[in-house]
Amino acid sequence: MTKVVVDAGHGGTDGGATANGILEKEYTLKIAKYINNRLKELGIDSSLTRDSDITLEPTNRVNKALSLYGSGSDVILLSNHINAGGATFA
Ligand SMILES: [Zn+2]
């Protein structure tokens, strides 16, 4: 059965994008918790890389994600961000 790792982007000392008093890390955590709870309600195995405002350096974030369900083809990593714009898509 598919398992989902839900990653709340940023956190701790890394606030992510900011505008108008909004911090990206706060919303990514709220979104990640909502998704994680909803997946569990649907009977899908789901876990968070963080469930509080902690700093996860890139290597630690990857290791945390891998520690939850491994790296099999039945694992989905869903990392959420709220970008501030300026991105271009090819
Ligand atoms: Zn971001």
Side-chain angles (χ1 to χ4, degrees):
M1 183 180 201
T2 300
K3 304 165 214 47
V4 182
V5 176
V6 184
D7 176 53
H10 308 282
T13 59
D14 175 10
T18 61
N20 303 317
I22 295 172
L23 269 177
E24 182 181 3
K25 69 176 183 178
E26 295 174 356
Y27 283 86
T28 59
L29 182 57
K30 288 180 182 180
I31 291 166
K33 285 181 172 180
Y34 176 84
I35 292 170
N36 186 52
N37 289 336
R38 187 68 184 120
L39 289 171
K40 288 179 184 292
E41 287 173 359
L42 295 170
I44 297 169
D45 287 336
S46 178
S47 293
L48 294 164
T49 54
R50 68 179 179 95
D51 62 3
S52 62
D53 186 23
I54 60 169
T55 301
L56 280 177
E57 299 296 337
T59 300
N60 294 338
R61 189 177 300 272
V62 170
N63 289 338
K64 173 67 178 183
L66 289 170
S67 74
L68 294 168
Y69 300 120
S71 60
S73 61
D74 59 342
V75 179
I76 295 170
L77 173 65
L78 176 62
S79 183
N80 67 82
H81 287 261
I82 307 166
N83 290 346
T88 57
F89 300 95

